[in-house]
Each structure stands twice: as C-alpha cells, then as structure tokens.
Amino acid sequence: MSAIFQQVIDDDRPLIDPLARLVRAYDRAIRACEAFDHAASREAIAVLRCALELDSSASRSFDALYAWCEESVDGRDFVGAAQCLRTLRNAWRAATNPTGAPGAVDPDRRSVILPRRDIPVS
C-alpha cells in the first residue's frame, strides 16, 4: 500500500489493518459521490488509484474500474460511480469475513446479512 494512500486516509485516525484503511477510502469516495461533490469525488477516487501497484492484471482491472468511476463523475453520473464503489467496498468487506457474521447488518441496506451456507459437494 502506498505511503500517499496511508497518509491521506490516516491523517485523522491511524488504523492498523490495511483492509480497514481500504474500506475507509471507499467510504470517503462513496460519501463524496452521494453528496454530488465533483472535486471531493475525484480526489477520493484518485486516492484509491494511487494505492494500486499496477503489477498484475487484477490491479489493472481495478484501475480501469476507478477510471470508469472518474469518467462517470466527470459526466455528472455520481450515482453510477457510487454504486460501483459500493459494490467494490462490499466485496472487500466480505473478503475480511468470508463466512459472514450471523446477524451482521449491512449498513447500506439496513438489513440483516444471513451467514453463507456451504453447498455440499456430491
């Protein structure tokens, strides 16, 4: 994770967990998009892009998604950008707890997240 990313995200409150910093960066970008704040949205998405090390196809794919979000914001499609960022953020959250926490509440939907059940293999 780049030093710029860590500094921008942790200026007001240091966090130890890199995934928590990443989720927090997504939260900032989503809030900026939801506020229809062009400058803040661009800045928050740029922080996410700066955190990438473009040495793999996965990181280049993330960069393409962030670029799409920036283009959407430039075209004043804040809702589309926020939806994309929210989906990515929720995927990272799920990655931190792959089994799902019983009774956990999804903050975007205000509903209970049921634990995932393994499908038996025949």
Side-chain angles (χ1 to χ4, degrees):
M1 189 170 295
S2 75
I4 293 170
F5 176 74
Q6 187 168 349
Q7 178 185 352
V8 171
I9 296 305
D10 293 340
D11 277 345
D12 57 342
R13 183 180 51 170
L15 297 171
I16 296 170
D17 181 15
L19 280 175
R21 283 195 295 265
L22 181 62
V23 168
R24 192 164 166 212
Y26 277 112
D27 287 339
R28 285 185 178 182
I30 292 164
R31 279 193 308 271
C33 289
E34 289 174 341
F36 301 100
D37 185 334
H38 182 263
S41 296
R42 287 289 304 211
E43 182 179 338
I45 295 167
V47 167
L48 289 165
R49 287 186 87 178
C50 285
L52 292 173
E53 294 178 14
L54 300 175
D55 57 352
S56 71
S57 62
S59 60
R60 288 187 294 275
S61 295
F62 275 100
D63 188 58
L65 287 169
Y66 297 148
W68 180 86
C69 288
E70 287 178 334
E71 290 170 12
S72 295
V73 165
D74 289 344
R76 302 303 191 245
D77 177 13
F78 294 97
V79 173
Q83 288 174 335
C84 179
L85 293 165
R86 191 174 294 109
T87 300
L88 292 169
R89 182 209 48 206
N90 290 346
W92 282 109
R93 279 187 181 161
T96 63
N97 187 9
T99 60
V105 176
D106 181 343
D108 293 324
R109 293 198 174 98
R110 305 288 186 239
S111 61
V112 174
I113 301 171
L114 299 175
R116 294 179 1 194
R117 305 279 186 233
D118 288 332
I119 299 172
V121 177
S122 305

